[in-house]
Amino acid sequence: MPAVAPCGIPGMRDARPTGLTEVMISIALPSMSQLTNRKSTMTDSQSWTGAAYHVDRPQDGLDGLAVREEQFAAPGPHEVLIRVRAASLNRRDLMLLAGTYPVPATPGVVPLSDGAGEVVAVGSGVQRAKVGDRVAVTYFRRWNDGPMTLPLVGEQYGANLNGMLTGYQVVDEESVVQIPAHLSYEEAATLPCAGVLAWSGLTTGPRPMNEGDTVLVVGAGAVALFGVQFAAALGGRVIVVSSGEERAKRLKELGAAEVLDRQLTPDWHLAVGELTAGRGADVVLEAVGAPSIAKSIQSIGFNGQLSVTGAFPGDGTLMDPDVFNGRFFSLQRLAVGTRSSFERMNATLAEHALHPVIDRVFTFYEAVKAYEYLSTGGPFGKVVISIP
């Protein structure tokens, strides 16, 4: 199944991932002796010093990414200064560097939408956070609740607003969300995009999931893994379409009742029908894209809901419109989700003591390697960058 951006790029080797043609892979970093052991500090003039990555030349992929030390001023009115402790990558971040994401990267922007850390200062009038709070930041700057609008979706951290691959970041207080106490910063950093997207796909829309529903999750990427965990926690019977015995085992450990191997069972939509006595799935979380949407539609039950997640690079796949004949269901195309969805998701994470699946954690100065690792398409879970 092709890569999907929820919401890579090789590092210093010659190989390039599918769909990211002509992205040069190299980056000029300060030496480790210059940067390792440099502690981010608060000065007497109420500014904070730390390192931050910037996409200086978006058209050059990772070749246009640079890291440098800089000062962060005290937050202004209704702003919060966060000491970022961890950030995580999404395929959307790879698309931004490849120039294939709908919202282009602003030159000089700090990348990555997902991150978590500790509040170290607040501006005047701030009500949503205080110094010492453990917080994450929403994907969109001010989409708090209600329907999505173009102005709200147009403000994205890590794209046209400075993101979280940095020691410190100033954000609008409207973007701050308290994180569950049982999660580490690395775990909390996985939530803003993939976690909220999966949660929204299951719990919003004309026909959200109910306890006892059959939920079909298509894929085994980060969004899909969150979907399996949430659907199981909410009392659903979870069927997953993936591939490989090892993945099937791990998916069942996360709560999947059945796993259909798409290679061994290419007509998996028929298998879904058999597993549900012909009724079909009540909710389908489609986390792959064009190659599987037709079968997802054929898997859905009467008056069910199909939630399509992620930004899918076009691959020329065409779908026969006849798959809609005789089927009655709701279809929603999702763009992550609201702050209120984030908060409801966090409440469920805390109630069930759920832990996000992390494949690998890299250090701050291994960010290029983290991009490279995600680009392989093989991670089972999130790729995280720890920030000292």
Side-chain angles (χ1 to χ4, degrees):
M1 294 183 179
V4 176
C7 325
I9 299 178
M12 300 181 184
R13 296 202 291 258
D14 293 333
R16 298 190 180 110
T18 302
L20 299 179
T21 308
E22 302 306 324
V23 177
M24 297 303 295
I25 309 305
S26 63
I27 178 171
L29 291 173
S31 67
M32 292 301 293
S33 62
Q34 290 176 300
L35 289 173
T36 305
N37 300 326
R38 281 192 181 180
K39 302 292 185 181
S40 299
T41 58
M42 183 177 73
T43 68
D44 294 337
S45 58
Q46 288 295 293
S47 65
W48 290 257
T49 302
Y53 284 83
H54 293 269
V55 184
D56 286 341
R57 301 187 309 280
Q59 71 278 7
D60 292 338
L62 278 179
D63 205 31
L65 186 65
V67 61
R68 52 184 174 266
E69 197 167 272
E70 57 194 78
Q71 284 195 328
F72 296 83
H78 300 288
E79 290 182 338
V80 174
L81 177 66
I82 299 171
R83 173 67 174 98
V84 184
R85 297 295 185 178
S88 77
L89 287 159
N90 297 291
R91 294 197 179 277
R92 166 258 205 184
D93 300 307
L94 308 181
M95 294 175 68
L96 278 164
L97 290 184
T100 58
Y101 189 69
V103 178
T106 298
V109 73
V110 175
L112 306 194
S113 60
D114 291 15
E118 178 185 1
V119 175
V120 294
V122 298
S124 61
V126 170
Q127 300 293 319
R128 289 187 51 80
K130 64 183 184 302
V131 172
D133 282 354
R134 301 171 73 247
V135 299
V137 174
T138 57
Y139 188 93
F140 301 107
R141 185 182 184 187
R142 291 175 180 162
W143 187 17
N144 302 333
D145 207 348
M148 175 178 58
T149 66
L150 282 176
L152 291 174
V153 173
E155 295 183 311
Q156 298 187 15
Y157 289 108
N160 52 17
L161 297 173
N162 283 331
M164 306 302 287
L165 192 52
T166 174
Y168 291 90
Q169 193 54 273
V170 175
V171 301
D172 192 301
E173 74 163 313
E174 295 297 317
S175 306
V176 171
V177 174
Q178 306 287 330
I179 60 178
H182 74 288
L183 297 184
S184 67
Y185 285 123
E186 286 77 12
E187 290 173 320
T190 70
L191 301 175
C193 180
V196 177
L197 183 53
W199 176 264
S200 299
L202 295 174
T203 65
T204 66
R207 202 287 188 194
M209 178 192 162
N210 296 305
E211 185 177 0
D213 279 351
T214 296
V215 178
L216 175 65
V217 177
V218 184
V223 175
L225 297 184
F226 275 115
V228 173
Q229 291 179 286
F230 293 149
L234 295 173
R237 175 197 178 190
V238 186
I239 302 172
V240 184
V241 178
S242 182
S243 62
E245 292 183 8
E246 181 59 29
R247 287 200 171 199
K249 177 183 177 182
R250 298 181 70 180
L251 287 163
K252 289 182 178 180
E253 291 172 352
L254 292 176
E258 292 95 6
V259 179
L260 299 173
D261 191 314
R262 60 184 175 84
Q263 295 179 335
L264 301 177
T265 311
D267 292 329
W268 47 263
H269 59 294
L270 300 178
V272 172
E274 294 173 0
L275 290 171
T276 58
R279 188 169 57 86
D282 299 295
V283 175
V284 178
L285 186 67
E286 169 57 70
V288 171
S292 60
I293 286 179
K295 290 179 181 177
S296 289
I297 293 172
Q298 291 171 297
S299 301
I300 201 164
F302 190 81
N303 282 337
Q305 176 168 292
L306 172 60
S307 296
V308 181
T309 69
F312 306 114
D315 65 354
T317 299
L318 299 177
M319 184 176 68
D320 186 348
D322 285 343
V323 298
F324 290 97
N325 290 341
R327 292 183 173 84
F328 300 89
F329 63 95
S330 299
L331 170 64
Q332 64 170 344
R333 175 76 166 83
L334 293 166
V336 190
T338 64
R339 189 186 72 198
S340 61
S341 287
F342 199 159
E343 292 169 334
R344 289 192 295 270
M345 177 194 72
N346 282 349
T348 297
L349 284 164
E351 178 185 356
H352 296 275
L354 296 177
H355 290 269
V357 181
I358 294 177
D359 183 281
R360 187 170 170 184
V361 178
F362 291 83
T363 68
F364 183 72
Y365 297 109
E366 293 178 322
V368 172
K369 293 181 180 179
Y371 274 91
E372 175 181 340
Y373 185 67
L374 180 60
S375 76
T376 65
F380 187 89
K382 292 286 290 182
V383 177
V384 175
I385 296 171
S386 181
I387 304 174

